[in-house]
Amino acid sequence: GNSVTQMEGPVTLSEEAFLTINCTYTATGYPSLFWYVQYPGEGLQLLLKATKADDKGSNKGFEATYRKETTSFHLEKGSVQVSDSAVYFCALRGNFGNEKLTFGTGTRLTIIP
Amino acid sequence: EPEVTQTPSHQVTQMGQEVILRCVPISNHLYFYWYRQILGQKVEFLVSFYNNEISEKSEIFDDQFSVERPDGSNFTLKIRSTKLEDSAMYFCASSTGTDTGELFFGEGSRLTVL
């Protein structure tokens, strides 16, 4: 079945540091890939997505590229801010019918000023 | 912007009691989901629902759980006899049904079973 392996946290960075959160997946076919973010006390929000190989999703300075050859979708940001502190979830969704989202374990990110 | 709304935001109940969590999906969406997140753990799929029936359910979704769309707008999750381990945040989500479409999540209902 489908699965997502995500970099274990927690991750603590200083403001303006470069961020990478690794995500790899296992799936049949050609899934869509997502990053969701959960800010403290809030629900899940879509951060970015990519629906086919070599697509790059981007939002709020975050980027992730769908790499089929390495089955990866790593999240990056060049300069993080305190407001980026949250839990980040990598997820995939198969393209057969309307499949469910499968989530990774989540990575808690804390940015210190 | 349309959003998924969930009620209650927090419910405390005694073990063995029935609980109903309510969700109003985005109005033109056709697919509905429940997920749960035990504190500090991953987000787990419970069930998906389409055309008034369950499309898929996980091992977690046993006979104690049921879902219903009683009136064309609400989408409910019922837990018949709650257990301590049902304590979690429960998220409702909906989607349009396109193959690459994202799921839109509500803010969650926190269930505490004592």
Side-chain angles (χ1 to χ4, degrees):
Chain A
N2 295 341
S3 68
V4 176
T5 302
Q6 189 174 340
M7 176 175 152
E8 293 285 336
V11 174
T12 302
L13 294 172
S14 298
E15 205 166 19
E16 300 183 1
F18 184 85
L19 168 72
T20 300
I21 301 177
N22 289 339
C23 172
T24 57
Y25 68 90
T26 302
T28 53
Y30 301 92
S32 294
L33 302 174
F34 305 83
W35 278 98
Y36 278 80
V37 59
Q38 185 179 31
Y39 296 104
E42 298 185 15
L44 295 162
Q45 301 174 27
L46 178 70
L47 179 60
L48 53 84
K49 70 177 183 181
T51 59
K52 60 183 188 296
D54 300 325
D55 266 4
K56 178 186 283 189
S58 62
N59 186 25
K60 298 181 181 180
F62 290 89
E63 293 183 340
T65 301
Y66 189 140
R67 301 281 188 205
K68 193 167 186 349
E69 64 276 15
T70 54
T71 62
S72 65
F73 193 55
H74 305 322
L75 183 68
E76 295 181 339
K77 185 173 185 181
S79 178
V80 292
Q81 305 300 312
V82 172
S83 57
D84 294 327
S85 298
V87 181
Y88 292 81
F89 292 92
C90 186
L92 72 80
R93 188 160 178 240
N95 286 334
F96 297 103
N98 191 56
E99 293 188 27
K100 65 182 185 291
L101 267 177
T102 299
F103 284 90
T105 53
T107 301
R108 180 175 298 279
L109 174 66
T110 302
I111 307 301
I112 53 177
Chain B
E1 185 175 326
E3 58 182 17
V4 176
T5 57
Q6 290 185 240
T7 54
S9 56
H10 188 194
Q11 180 157 358
V12 180
T13 190
Q14 296 291 324
M15 192 168 55
Q17 295 297 302
E18 177 183 282
V19 161
I20 297 176
L21 305 179
R22 292 183 169 80
C23 169
V24 179
I26 295 173
S27 61
N28 64 337
H29 285 188
L30 302 176
Y31 294 82
F32 314 109
Y33 308 82
W34 283 102
Y35 284 77
R36 80 171 186 191
Q37 183 184 30
I38 295 172
L39 185 64
Q41 298 186 25
K42 70 185 296 184
V43 180
E44 301 173 292
F45 169 75
L46 292 178
V47 65
S48 58
F49 191 86
Y50 170 69
N51 200 26
N52 283 319
E53 60 184 28
I54 290 173
S55 308
E56 185 178 357
K57 59 183 181 180
S58 71
E59 293 176 352
I60 303 167
F61 195 87
D62 62 21
D63 291 345
Q64 292 300 311
F65 291 88
S66 63
V67 289
E68 192 177 36
R69 189 160 159 80
D71 57 11
S73 61
N74 289 286
F75 177 52
T76 62
L77 174 69
K78 180 192 290 187
I79 309 173
R80 287 191 185 78
S81 178
T82 50
K83 303 186 286 287
L84 294 176
E85 53 265 36
D86 293 328
S87 295
M89 181 74 88
Y90 289 81
F91 291 106
C92 174
S94 67
S95 74
T96 59
T98 60
D99 287 347
T100 58
E102 69 191 80
L103 270 61
F104 291 80
F105 284 83
E107 294 203 345
S109 293
R110 180 169 297 284
L111 175 64
T112 302
V113 182
L114 302 177

